[in-house]
Amino acid sequence: MNKYLLNFINLNKNEILVGDYNNSFKKEEFIKLINKFYMSLKHYQDSNKSFGVGIYLSRDINYLAAIFSILLSGNYFIPLNQAWPNKHLKRIIDYSKPKLIITNKNIFYKKKSLKVLTLKDIAAVKTKKEKLLISNSKVPEARLAYVIYTSGSSGEQKGVMISRKNFSSYLNWVIKYFKKKIKIKSLLITGEMTFDIVMADLANALAFRSTIYLTPQTNNLVKALQMLHEKKIDTIYGVPTTLKNLYLFSKLRKKRELKSLKNIFCGGDIFTYQLLKLIKSQSYNSKIFNMYGPTELSMNCLCQDLTRYKVKKSSEKIPNGQEFKHLNYKLFDQNKNSFNNYFGELVVSGDQCMQGYLGDKKKTKNAFITYDNIKYYRTGDLFKKNKNIYFYEGRFDKQVKIKGYRIDLNTIDRFFSKLKFIKESKTILLELKNNVKKIITHIVLYDNL
Protein backbone atom coordinates (compact mmCIF):
# COMPACT_ATOMS: atom_id res chain seq x y z
CA MET A 1 0.00 0.00 0.00
CA ASN A 2 2.82 2.42 0.86
CA LYS A 3 4.26 1.85 -2.61
CA TYR A 4 1.16 3.47 -4.13
CA LEU A 5 1.21 6.34 -1.64
CA LEU A 6 4.89 7.05 -2.29
CA ASN A 7 4.43 6.84 -6.06
CA PHE A 8 1.47 9.22 -5.88
CA ILE A 9 3.61 11.84 -4.16
CA ASN A 10 7.00 11.30 -5.81
CA LEU A 11 5.89 10.55 -9.38
CA ASN A 12 2.97 12.98 -9.61
CA LYS A 13 3.53 15.44 -12.46
CA ASN A 14 0.60 17.77 -11.72
CA GLU A 15 1.34 21.35 -10.75
CA ILE A 16 -1.06 21.04 -7.81
CA LEU A 17 -0.95 17.87 -5.70
CA VAL A 18 -3.78 18.58 -3.23
CA GLY A 19 -6.14 21.46 -2.58
CA ASP A 20 -9.18 22.64 -0.67
CA TYR A 21 -11.45 25.67 -1.13
CA ASN A 22 -8.87 28.14 0.23
CA ASN A 23 -5.49 26.58 -0.51
CA SER A 24 -3.61 24.62 -3.15
CA PHE A 25 -0.38 22.78 -2.34
CA LYS A 26 2.33 21.85 -4.81
CA LYS A 27 4.35 18.69 -4.29
CA GLU A 28 7.09 20.35 -2.20
CA GLU A 29 4.57 22.03 0.11
CA PHE A 30 2.58 18.84 0.70
CA ILE A 31 5.76 16.83 1.32
CA LYS A 32 6.87 19.34 3.93
CA LEU A 33 3.48 19.11 5.65
CA ILE A 34 3.51 15.29 5.61
CA ASN A 35 7.02 15.32 7.07
CA LYS A 36 5.81 17.47 9.96
CA PHE A 37 2.92 15.07 10.63
CA TYR A 38 5.24 12.06 10.30
CA MET A 39 7.83 13.44 12.75
CA SER A 40 5.04 14.19 15.24
CA LEU A 41 3.62 10.65 14.95
CA LYS A 42 7.09 9.11 15.32
CA HIS A 43 7.30 10.63 18.79
CA TYR A 44 4.48 8.32 19.94
CA GLN A 45 5.79 5.14 18.25
CA ASP A 46 7.30 3.13 21.10
CA SER A 47 7.49 -0.23 19.30
CA ASN A 48 7.10 -1.91 15.92
CA LYS A 49 3.39 -2.34 16.60
CA SER A 50 0.89 -0.09 14.84
CA PHE A 51 -1.60 2.06 16.72
CA GLY A 52 -4.86 3.86 16.00
CA VAL A 53 -4.94 7.58 15.33
CA GLY A 54 -8.21 9.50 15.45
CA ILE A 55 -8.45 12.37 12.95
CA TYR A 56 -10.57 15.17 14.42
CA LEU A 57 -9.85 17.97 11.96
CA SER A 58 -11.67 20.43 9.75
CA ARG A 59 -12.27 19.55 6.07
CA ASP A 60 -9.08 20.89 4.55
CA ILE A 61 -5.61 19.89 3.35
CA ASN A 62 -4.56 18.94 6.89
CA TYR A 63 -7.11 16.09 6.92
CA LEU A 64 -5.56 14.69 3.74
CA ALA A 65 -2.03 15.12 5.12
CA ALA A 66 -3.07 13.29 8.29
CA ILE A 67 -4.40 10.31 6.29
CA PHE A 68 -1.23 10.08 4.17
CA SER A 69 1.18 10.42 7.10
CA ILE A 70 -0.66 7.89 9.29
CA LEU A 71 -0.69 5.29 6.51
CA LEU A 72 2.93 5.95 5.54
CA SER A 73 4.01 5.62 9.19
CA GLY A 74 2.50 2.12 9.28
CA ASN A 75 -0.36 3.01 11.63
CA TYR A 76 -4.12 3.14 11.01
CA PHE A 77 -6.57 6.02 11.16
CA ILE A 78 -10.06 6.44 12.57
CA PRO A 79 -11.90 9.29 10.78
CA LEU A 80 -13.92 11.52 13.13
CA ASN A 81 -16.37 14.30 12.33
CA GLN A 82 -16.41 17.67 14.11
CA ALA A 83 -20.16 17.92 13.45
CA TRP A 84 -20.87 14.85 15.60
CA PRO A 85 -22.56 15.42 18.97
CA ASN A 86 -20.20 15.00 21.92
CA LYS A 87 -22.08 11.92 23.14
CA HIS A 88 -21.64 10.17 19.79
CA LEU A 89 -17.99 11.18 19.54
CA LYS A 90 -17.33 9.80 23.03
CA ARG A 91 -18.89 6.46 22.08
CA ILE A 92 -16.70 6.15 18.99
CA ILE A 93 -13.55 7.01 20.95
CA ASP A 94 -14.49 4.51 23.68
CA TYR A 95 -15.11 1.76 21.12
CA SER A 96 -12.06 2.38 18.91
CA LYS A 97 -9.57 3.22 21.70
CA PRO A 98 -7.14 5.30 19.63
CA LYS A 99 -3.76 6.00 21.18
CA LEU A 100 -3.67 9.47 19.70
CA ILE A 101 -6.06 12.10 18.33
CA ILE A 102 -4.96 14.78 15.88
CA THR A 103 -7.10 17.89 16.24
CA ASN A 104 -7.35 21.62 15.59
CA LYS A 105 -9.87 22.25 18.37
CA ASN A 106 -10.34 21.38 22.02
CA ILE A 107 -11.39 17.83 22.83
CA PHE A 108 -14.00 17.75 25.57
CA TYR A 109 -13.20 14.11 26.35
CA LYS A 110 -10.26 13.65 28.70
CA LYS A 111 -8.62 10.29 29.26
CA LYS A 112 -5.14 9.44 30.56
CA SER A 113 -4.47 6.84 27.87
CA LEU A 114 -5.54 9.23 25.09
CA LYS A 115 -2.85 11.54 23.76
CA VAL A 116 -3.78 14.73 21.89
CA LEU A 117 -1.70 16.18 19.06
CA THR A 118 -2.72 19.65 17.86
CA LEU A 119 -2.00 21.36 14.56
CA LYS A 120 -0.01 23.94 16.53
CA ASP A 121 2.24 21.14 17.80
CA ILE A 122 2.69 19.84 14.25
CA ALA A 123 3.36 23.31 12.80
CA ALA A 124 6.14 23.82 15.36
CA VAL A 125 8.08 20.79 14.07
CA LYS A 126 11.15 21.92 12.12
CA THR A 127 11.89 20.17 8.84
CA LYS A 128 13.57 21.72 5.81
CA LYS A 129 13.70 18.62 3.67
CA GLU A 130 11.77 18.70 0.42
CA LYS A 131 12.01 14.94 0.10
CA LEU A 132 9.78 12.56 2.01
CA LEU A 133 11.30 11.33 5.25
CA ILE A 134 9.39 8.10 4.70
CA SER A 135 10.97 5.91 2.05
CA ASN A 136 10.12 2.40 3.30
CA SER A 137 7.19 0.84 1.45
CA LYS A 138 7.53 -2.53 3.20
CA VAL A 139 4.87 -2.17 5.88
CA PRO A 140 3.14 -5.55 6.54
CA GLU A 141 -0.04 -5.76 4.46
CA ALA A 142 -1.78 -7.56 7.32
CA ARG A 143 -1.76 -4.34 9.36
CA LEU A 144 -4.88 -2.21 9.59
CA ALA A 145 -5.21 0.77 7.25
CA TYR A 146 -8.31 2.34 8.81
CA VAL A 147 -11.36 1.71 10.96
CA ILE A 148 -14.64 3.25 9.78
CA TYR A 149 -17.73 3.20 11.98
CA THR A 150 -20.98 2.32 10.22
CA SER A 151 -24.57 2.83 11.37
CA GLY A 152 -23.53 5.90 13.34
CA SER A 153 -26.97 7.46 12.95
CA SER A 154 -28.77 4.37 14.23
CA GLY A 155 -26.93 4.17 17.52
CA GLU A 156 -25.31 0.78 16.85
CA GLN A 157 -21.68 1.47 16.08
CA LYS A 158 -19.67 -1.16 14.20
CA GLY A 159 -16.00 -0.45 13.66
CA VAL A 160 -15.14 -1.98 10.27
CA MET A 161 -11.47 -3.01 10.22
CA ILE A 162 -9.95 -2.67 6.75
CA SER A 163 -6.38 -3.90 6.36
CA ARG A 164 -3.76 -2.57 4.00
CA LYS A 165 -4.19 -5.77 1.98
CA ASN A 166 -7.96 -5.16 1.72
CA PHE A 167 -7.45 -1.62 0.41
CA SER A 168 -4.63 -2.66 -1.95
CA SER A 169 -6.87 -5.36 -3.41
CA TYR A 170 -9.52 -2.78 -4.31
CA LEU A 171 -6.88 -0.36 -5.61
CA ASN A 172 -5.43 -3.05 -7.89
CA TRP A 173 -8.92 -3.62 -9.32
CA VAL A 174 -9.33 0.12 -9.98
CA ILE A 175 -6.03 0.17 -11.88
CA LYS A 176 -6.85 -2.89 -13.99
CA TYR A 177 -10.49 -1.98 -14.71
CA PHE A 178 -10.32 1.77 -15.32
CA LYS A 179 -6.83 2.42 -16.74
CA LYS A 180 -7.90 1.78 -20.35
CA LYS A 181 -11.40 3.24 -19.91
CA ILE A 182 -10.81 6.73 -18.46
CA LYS A 183 -8.27 9.36 -17.50
CA ILE A 184 -8.42 11.34 -14.27
CA LYS A 185 -6.48 14.59 -13.94
CA SER A 186 -8.24 15.93 -10.86
CA LEU A 187 -11.06 14.81 -8.58
CA LEU A 188 -13.30 16.48 -6.01
CA ILE A 189 -14.06 14.83 -2.67
CA THR A 190 -17.61 15.76 -1.65
CA GLY A 191 -18.44 13.01 0.86
CA GLU A 192 -18.09 13.01 4.63
CA MET A 193 -14.57 12.09 5.71
CA THR A 194 -16.11 9.32 7.82
CA PHE A 195 -17.64 7.68 4.71
CA ASP A 196 -15.84 4.95 2.78
CA ILE A 197 -16.54 6.82 -0.47
CA VAL A 198 -13.59 9.03 0.50
CA MET A 199 -11.38 5.94 0.38
CA ALA A 200 -12.77 5.14 -3.07
CA ASP A 201 -11.81 8.71 -4.07
CA LEU A 202 -8.34 8.13 -2.66
CA ALA A 203 -8.03 4.85 -4.60
CA ASN A 204 -8.91 6.68 -7.83
CA ALA A 205 -6.34 9.39 -7.07
CA LEU A 206 -3.58 6.88 -6.33
CA ALA A 207 -4.39 4.84 -9.45
CA PHE A 208 -4.21 7.87 -11.77
CA ARG A 209 -1.87 10.11 -9.69
CA SER A 210 -4.46 12.85 -10.00
CA THR A 211 -4.85 16.09 -8.09
CA ILE A 212 -7.10 15.77 -5.03
CA TYR A 213 -9.46 18.63 -4.13
CA LEU A 214 -11.67 18.74 -1.05
CA THR A 215 -14.91 20.72 -0.64
CA PRO A 216 -15.26 22.88 2.51
CA GLN A 217 -18.68 21.41 3.40
CA THR A 218 -20.52 18.42 2.04
CA ASN A 219 -23.77 20.33 1.46
CA ASN A 220 -22.45 23.62 0.06
CA LEU A 221 -23.50 23.35 -3.59
CA VAL A 222 -22.36 26.85 -4.51
CA LYS A 223 -18.76 26.25 -3.43
CA ALA A 224 -18.70 22.75 -4.91
CA LEU A 225 -19.83 24.09 -8.30
CA GLN A 226 -17.37 26.96 -8.02
CA MET A 227 -14.49 24.57 -7.40
CA LEU A 228 -15.53 22.27 -10.25
CA HIS A 229 -15.70 25.21 -12.66
CA GLU A 230 -12.69 27.32 -11.61
CA LYS A 231 -10.28 24.42 -11.08
CA LYS A 232 -11.60 22.51 -14.10
CA ILE A 233 -12.01 19.32 -12.09
CA ASP A 234 -12.87 16.35 -14.31
CA THR A 235 -13.98 13.66 -11.81
CA ILE A 236 -16.51 13.41 -9.00
CA TYR A 237 -17.80 10.56 -6.83
CA GLY A 238 -21.02 11.14 -4.93
CA VAL A 239 -24.11 9.54 -3.47
CA PRO A 240 -27.23 9.93 -5.67
CA THR A 241 -28.67 12.72 -3.48
CA THR A 242 -25.49 14.81 -3.77
CA LEU A 243 -25.29 14.38 -7.54
CA LYS A 244 -28.99 15.07 -8.00
CA ASN A 245 -28.84 18.32 -5.97
CA LEU A 246 -25.64 19.39 -7.70
CA TYR A 247 -27.05 18.92 -11.20
CA LEU A 248 -30.44 20.47 -10.39
CA PHE A 249 -28.78 23.52 -8.83
CA SER A 250 -26.41 23.86 -11.78
CA LYS A 251 -29.37 23.65 -14.16
CA LEU A 252 -31.09 26.54 -12.37
CA ARG A 253 -27.96 28.71 -12.52
CA LYS A 254 -27.47 28.07 -16.26
CA LYS A 255 -23.71 28.58 -15.95
CA ARG A 256 -22.60 25.20 -17.31
CA GLU A 257 -20.31 24.65 -14.31
CA LEU A 258 -20.38 20.89 -14.83
CA LYS A 259 -19.11 20.90 -18.39
CA SER A 260 -15.56 19.98 -17.27
CA LEU A 261 -16.70 16.69 -15.72
CA LYS A 262 -15.46 13.69 -17.67
CA ASN A 263 -15.94 10.94 -15.08
CA ILE A 264 -18.89 10.54 -12.72
CA PHE A 265 -19.01 7.83 -10.07
CA CYS A 266 -22.15 7.17 -8.06
CA GLY A 267 -22.70 4.86 -5.08
CA GLY A 268 -24.13 4.51 -1.60
CA ASP A 269 -27.80 4.44 -2.61
CA ILE A 270 -30.16 3.68 -5.49
CA PHE A 271 -29.27 5.18 -8.88
CA THR A 272 -32.46 6.12 -10.75
CA TYR A 273 -33.43 6.62 -14.37
CA GLN A 274 -34.23 10.27 -13.61
CA LEU A 275 -30.73 10.87 -12.23
CA LEU A 276 -29.09 9.21 -15.23
CA LYS A 277 -31.13 11.39 -17.58
CA LEU A 278 -30.28 14.52 -15.56
CA ILE A 279 -26.54 13.82 -15.63
CA LYS A 280 -26.51 13.08 -19.37
CA SER A 281 -28.40 16.31 -20.11
CA GLN A 282 -25.50 18.42 -18.77
CA SER A 283 -22.43 16.18 -18.86
CA TYR A 284 -23.16 14.54 -22.19
CA ASN A 285 -19.50 13.68 -22.92
CA SER A 286 -18.82 12.10 -19.53
CA LYS A 287 -18.30 8.50 -18.49
CA ILE A 288 -20.81 7.37 -15.84
CA PHE A 289 -20.28 4.47 -13.44
CA ASN A 290 -22.71 3.04 -10.90
CA MET A 291 -20.85 1.49 -7.96
CA TYR A 292 -22.06 -0.82 -5.23
CA GLY A 293 -20.43 -2.17 -2.11
CA PRO A 294 -20.60 -2.02 1.69
CA THR A 295 -17.81 -0.64 3.87
CA GLU A 296 -17.05 -4.22 4.91
CA LEU A 297 -15.92 -5.05 1.36
CA SER A 298 -13.52 -2.12 1.03
CA MET A 299 -15.85 0.32 -0.72
CA ASN A 300 -17.10 -1.48 -3.83
CA CYS A 301 -17.63 -4.97 -5.21
CA LEU A 302 -19.93 -4.29 -8.20
CA CYS A 303 -19.52 -1.80 -11.07
CA GLN A 304 -21.70 -0.90 -14.04
CA ASP A 305 -20.66 1.38 -16.90
CA LEU A 306 -23.76 3.46 -17.69
CA THR A 307 -22.15 5.66 -20.32
CA ARG A 308 -23.97 4.02 -23.23
CA TYR A 309 -26.58 2.19 -21.20
CA LYS A 310 -30.07 2.71 -22.60
CA VAL A 311 -33.15 2.67 -20.41
CA LYS A 312 -36.39 1.85 -22.23
CA LYS A 313 -38.78 3.27 -19.62
CA SER A 314 -38.57 5.39 -16.47
CA SER A 315 -39.73 2.58 -14.19
CA GLU A 316 -36.88 0.33 -15.28
CA LYS A 317 -34.24 -0.43 -12.65
CA ILE A 318 -30.69 0.77 -13.17
CA PRO A 319 -28.22 -2.13 -12.81
CA ASN A 320 -25.83 -2.12 -9.87
CA GLY A 321 -23.08 -3.80 -11.79
CA GLN A 322 -21.01 -6.81 -12.62
CA GLU A 323 -18.62 -8.86 -10.52
CA PHE A 324 -14.94 -8.15 -9.88
CA LYS A 325 -12.85 -11.02 -11.28
CA HIS A 326 -10.75 -11.43 -8.11
CA LEU A 327 -13.77 -11.86 -5.78
CA ASN A 328 -16.22 -14.74 -5.31
CA TYR A 329 -19.99 -14.14 -5.33
CA LYS A 330 -23.04 -16.16 -4.37
CA LEU A 331 -26.75 -15.51 -3.84
CA PHE A 332 -28.18 -17.05 -0.68
CA ASP A 333 -31.87 -17.99 -0.41
CA GLN A 334 -32.74 -17.87 3.30
CA ASN A 335 -36.09 -19.58 2.85
CA LYS A 336 -34.53 -22.63 1.22
CA ASN A 337 -31.21 -22.28 3.08
CA SER A 338 -29.37 -22.77 -0.20
CA PHE A 339 -27.46 -20.91 -2.91
CA ASN A 340 -28.59 -20.16 -6.46
CA ASN A 341 -27.64 -18.01 -9.46
CA TYR A 342 -30.84 -15.97 -9.76
CA PHE A 343 -32.07 -14.32 -6.55
CA GLY A 344 -31.06 -13.95 -2.91
CA GLU A 345 -28.83 -12.19 -0.42
CA LEU A 346 -25.50 -11.26 -1.97
CA VAL A 347 -22.55 -12.84 -0.16
CA VAL A 348 -18.96 -12.13 -1.20
CA SER A 349 -15.51 -13.49 -0.34
CA GLY A 350 -11.99 -12.45 -1.30
CA ASP A 351 -9.11 -10.17 -0.39
CA GLN A 352 -11.31 -7.06 -0.13
CA CYS A 353 -13.30 -8.56 2.73
CA MET A 354 -12.85 -6.82 6.10
CA GLN A 355 -10.89 -8.25 9.01
CA GLY A 356 -13.97 -7.97 11.19
CA TYR A 357 -15.64 -5.52 13.58
CA LEU A 358 -13.24 -3.96 16.06
CA GLY A 359 -13.71 -5.41 19.54
CA ASP A 360 -16.86 -7.37 18.64
CA LYS A 361 -16.33 -11.07 17.89
CA LYS A 362 -20.06 -11.84 18.01
CA LYS A 363 -21.00 -9.30 15.32
CA THR A 364 -18.03 -10.43 13.25
CA LYS A 365 -19.14 -14.06 13.40
CA ASN A 366 -22.73 -13.16 12.50
CA ALA A 367 -21.54 -11.13 9.50
CA PHE A 368 -20.20 -14.21 7.69
CA ILE A 369 -21.53 -17.45 6.26
CA THR A 370 -19.30 -20.42 5.41
CA TYR A 371 -19.65 -22.45 2.22
CA ASP A 372 -17.12 -25.10 1.08
CA ASN A 373 -14.79 -23.92 3.88
CA ILE A 374 -14.80 -20.37 2.48
CA LYS A 375 -16.10 -17.43 4.53
CA TYR A 376 -18.45 -15.09 2.68
CA TYR A 377 -19.49 -11.68 3.96
CA ARG A 378 -23.26 -11.29 4.17
CA THR A 379 -24.20 -7.93 2.65
CA GLY A 380 -27.82 -8.11 3.83
CA ASP A 381 -28.85 -6.86 0.37
CA LEU A 382 -31.14 -8.84 -1.92
CA PHE A 383 -30.26 -8.99 -5.62
CA LYS A 384 -31.55 -10.42 -8.84
CA LYS A 385 -28.96 -11.63 -11.32
CA ASN A 386 -29.63 -11.44 -15.05
CA LYS A 387 -26.92 -12.22 -17.61
CA ASN A 388 -24.14 -11.61 -15.06
CA ILE A 389 -25.59 -8.22 -14.09
CA TYR A 390 -26.91 -7.60 -10.57
CA PHE A 391 -30.04 -5.60 -9.75
CA TYR A 392 -30.77 -4.44 -6.20
CA GLU A 393 -34.11 -5.66 -4.79
CA GLY A 394 -34.02 -4.46 -1.17
CA ARG A 395 -32.94 -5.56 2.30
CA PHE A 396 -33.88 -8.75 4.11
CA ASP A 397 -33.59 -7.00 7.49
CA LYS A 398 -34.84 -3.58 8.62
CA GLN A 399 -31.72 -1.65 7.70
CA VAL A 400 -32.09 1.12 5.10
CA LYS A 401 -29.76 3.60 3.42
CA ILE A 402 -30.59 7.29 3.13
CA LYS A 403 -28.08 9.81 1.75
CA GLY A 404 -25.33 7.24 2.23
CA TYR A 405 -26.17 6.64 5.93
CA ARG A 406 -27.13 3.18 7.10
CA ILE A 407 -30.09 3.34 9.46
CA ASP A 408 -31.47 0.37 11.38
CA LEU A 409 -35.23 0.83 11.85
CA ASN A 410 -35.21 -1.72 14.69
CA THR A 411 -32.78 0.49 16.60
CA ILE A 412 -35.19 3.43 16.36
CA ASP A 413 -37.99 1.25 17.77
CA ARG A 414 -35.72 0.05 20.58
CA PHE A 415 -34.94 3.66 21.48
CA PHE A 416 -38.63 4.57 21.79
CA SER A 417 -39.39 1.39 23.74
CA LYS A 418 -37.12 2.61 26.54
CA LEU A 419 -39.28 5.70 27.12
CA LYS A 420 -41.75 5.10 29.96
CA PHE A 421 -44.68 6.93 28.35
CA ILE A 422 -44.56 4.95 25.07
CA LYS A 423 -46.40 1.64 24.92
CA GLU A 424 -45.45 0.63 21.39
CA SER A 425 -43.68 2.00 18.31
CA LYS A 426 -43.38 0.93 14.69
CA THR A 427 -40.89 2.50 12.29
CA ILE A 428 -41.26 2.20 8.52
CA LEU A 429 -39.53 3.51 5.43
CA LEU A 430 -41.77 5.47 3.07
CA GLU A 431 -40.48 5.62 -0.52
CA LEU A 432 -41.97 8.48 -2.53
CA LYS A 433 -41.53 9.57 -6.13
CA ASN A 434 -38.09 10.38 -7.55
CA ASN A 435 -36.40 8.13 -4.95
CA VAL A 436 -37.34 10.45 -2.04
CA LYS A 437 -37.27 8.47 1.22
CA LYS A 438 -38.78 9.30 4.60
CA ILE A 439 -38.59 7.45 7.88
CA ILE A 440 -41.85 7.52 9.82
CA THR A 441 -42.37 6.23 13.37
CA HIS A 442 -45.90 5.45 14.62
CA ILE A 443 -46.21 5.71 18.40
CA VAL A 444 -48.84 4.36 20.80
CA LEU A 445 -48.98 6.09 24.21
CA TYR A 446 -50.18 4.53 27.45
CA ASP A 447 -53.87 5.20 28.22
CA ASN A 448 -53.20 6.96 31.53
CA LEU A 449 -51.26 9.78 29.87
Side-chain angles (χ1 to χ4, degrees):
M1 183 178 182
N2 271 16
K3 176 183 71 174
Y4 296 110
L5 294 165
L6 292 169
N7 286 345
F8 170 82
I9 297 170
N10 292 323
L11 302 180
N12 202 309
K13 296 179 181 180
N14 293 326
E15 183 180 353
I16 302 299
L17 198 65
V18 296
D20 54 36
Y21 185 74
N22 296 310
N23 301 289
S24 296
F25 275 24
K26 295 183 178 180
K27 183 189 298 186
E28 294 77 13
E29 295 171 298
F30 194 55
I31 285 174
K32 189 174 182 179
L33 183 59
I34 288 178
N35 284 341
K36 285 177 176 285
F37 272 88
Y38 176 72
M39 291 298 291
S40 301
L41 289 170
K42 197 175 179 181
H43 178 73
Y44 296 91
Q45 197 100 37
D46 53 11
S47 68
N48 291 324
K49 293 182 179 180
S50 63
F51 59 87
V53 183
I55 306 178
Y56 192 61
L57 294 169
S58 305
R59 285 177 62 87
D60 56 26
I61 289 175
N62 286 301
Y63 212 117
L64 296 173
I67 290 175
F68 272 83
S69 59
I70 293 166
L71 293 175
L72 286 169
S73 67
N75 297 301
Y76 64 93
F77 70 91
I78 303 145
L80 305 172
N81 192 326
Q82 293 189 348
W84 283 347
N86 287 344
K87 187 177 180 180
H88 179 65
L89 177 63
K90 181 181 181 300
R91 280 201 301 262
I92 296 298
I93 293 173
D94 285 340
Y95 284 140
S96 59
K97 295 180 175 61
K99 180 178 181 179
L100 176 69
I101 286 186
I102 300 175
T103 182
N104 63 329
K105 63 185 295 187
N106 292 331
I107 293 285
F108 75 98
Y109 185 46
K110 303 295 181 182
K111 201 174 183 180
K112 286 185 179 180
S113 60
L114 183 63
K115 309 296 182 183
V116 176
L117 179 63
T118 68
L119 287 186
K120 287 185 179 180
D121 299 328
I122 294 168
V125 175
K126 294 182 179 180
T127 172
K128 295 181 180 179
K129 292 188 176 182
E130 292 184 353
K131 289 186 178 181
L132 274 174
L133 296 175
I134 315 106
S135 58
N136 180 21
S137 62
K138 296 181 180 180
V139 177
E141 288 290 277
R143 284 190 181 183
L144 289 182
Y146 58 88
V147 176
I148 286 183
Y149 276 79
T150 67
S151 301
S153 53
S154 70
E156 289 191 4
Q157 286 78 29
K158 292 183 293 184
V160 179
M161 297 188 293
I162 299 297
S163 71
R164 304 168 80 86
K165 182 179 180 180
N166 298 149
F167 181 80
S168 295
S169 178
Y170 176 74
L171 178 54
N172 286 330
W173 173 82
V174 170
I175 293 170
K176 290 177 182 178
Y177 184 82
F178 288 112
K179 272 294 186 180
K180 293 182 180 180
K181 290 179 178 286
I182 61 174
K183 292 181 180 180
I184 300 178
K185 292 184 179 179
S186 58
L187 58 83
L188 182 66
I189 296 177
T190 61
E192 293 285 2
M193 302 306 288
T194 53
F195 279 12
D196 60 351
I197 280 182
V198 172
M199 296 309 296
D201 275 315
L202 183 58
N204 286 344
L206 296 180
F208 289 89
R209 294 177 194 147
S210 60
T211 300
I212 305 172
Y213 287 105
L214 181 62
T215 58
Q217 299 96 20
T218 58
N219 58 353
N220 193 321
L221 299 179
V222 175
K223 289 185 177 179
L225 286 171
Q226 186 180 342
M227 291 181 73
L228 286 167
H229 179 63
E230 293 180 356
K231 301 179 186 301
K232 296 180 180 178
I233 296 169
D234 62 17
T235 301
I236 191 171
Y237 193 144
V239 296
T241 305
T242 297
L243 293 179
K244 176 186 173 184
N245 292 338
L246 200 64
Y247 273 86
L248 285 175
F249 190 58
S250 176
K251 190 176 181 180
L252 287 173
R253 286 159 64 94
K254 298 180 180 179
K255 292 185 178 181
R256 299 188 68 195
E257 291 139 317
L258 298 169
K259 65 179 181 180
S260 65
L261 281 178
K262 303 298 180 186
N263 311 295
I264 297 153
F265 295 85
C266 184
D269 211 332
I270 298 172
F271 198 120
T272 64
Y273 163 81
Q274 290 79 10
L275 178 58
L276 181 60
K277 188 177 179 181
L278 181 63
I279 291 173
K280 286 187 174 183
S281 69
Q282 295 184 62
S283 301
Y284 39 83
N285 289 323
S286 65
K287 299 286 182 70
I288 307 167
F289 300 94
N290 190 19
M291 314 294 292
Y292 163 84
T295 306
E296 289 85 348
L297 288 170
S298 306
M299 292 85 71
N300 295 304
C301 61
L302 295 175
C303 175
Q304 181 67 42
D305 187 344
L306 298 174
T307 307
R308 294 182 178 84
Y309 189 83
K310 294 182 179 179
V311 182
K312 296 178 181 178
K313 52 184 179 179
S314 60
S315 59
E316 186 179 334
K317 286 189 176 182
I318 301 295
N320 293 87
Q322 301 178 52
E323 300 175 355
F324 295 4
K325 290 182 179 180
H326 66 288
L327 300 178
N328 298 312
Y329 301 74
K330 290 189 178 300
L331 292 172
F332 180 63
D333 187 334
Q334 289 198 33
N335 295 324
K336 296 181 179 179
N337 197 31
S338 62
F339 296 92
N340 62 67
N341 293 317
Y342 312 104
F343 177 81
E345 178 192 359
L346 181 65
V347 298
V348 184
S349 70
D351 287 343
Q352 284 183 213
C353 197
M354 69 167 179
Q355 304 303 292
Y357 296 118
L358 184 65
D360 202 320
K361 292 182 180 179
K362 185 178 179 181
K363 283 181 181 176
T364 299
K365 184 180 179 181
N366 293 336
F368 291 89
I369 187 171
T370 302
Y371 179 76
D372 282 349
N373 295 319
I374 299 174
K375 286 173 62 177
Y376 289 82
Y377 171 72
R378 304 185 62 170
T379 66
D381 291 325
L382 298 173
F383 281 89
K384 278 185 179 178
K385 186 179 178 183
N386 184 16
K387 296 180 181 178
N388 294 321
I389 298 177
Y390 288 83
F391 294 82
Y392 177 74
E393 292 292 321
R395 295 280 301 182
F396 77 85
D397 56 16
K398 289 194 69 178
Q399 195 175 86
V400 300
K401 245 187 180 183
I402 297 180
K403 297 182 180 180
Y405 288 94
R406 287 194 215 175
I407 300 173
D408 190 337
L409 303 186
N410 285 321
T411 305
I412 297 174
D413 287 333
R414 284 196 293 270
F415 168 79
F416 283 112
S417 68
K418 294 177 182 178
L419 301 178
K420 295 180 180 180
F421 56 88
I422 292 178
K423 183 178 181 181
E424 187 180 353
S425 71
K426 183 70 175 180
T427 302
I428 62 170
L429 176 70
L430 190 63
E431 298 192 49
L432 306 174
K433 292 181 179 180
N434 298 325
N435 200 34
V436 174
K437 300 176 181 177
K438 289 189 177 183
I439 292 175
I440 298 176
T441 301
H442 302 269
I443 295 172
V444 178
L445 302 177
Y446 281 104
D447 294 337
N448 58 350
L449 292 177

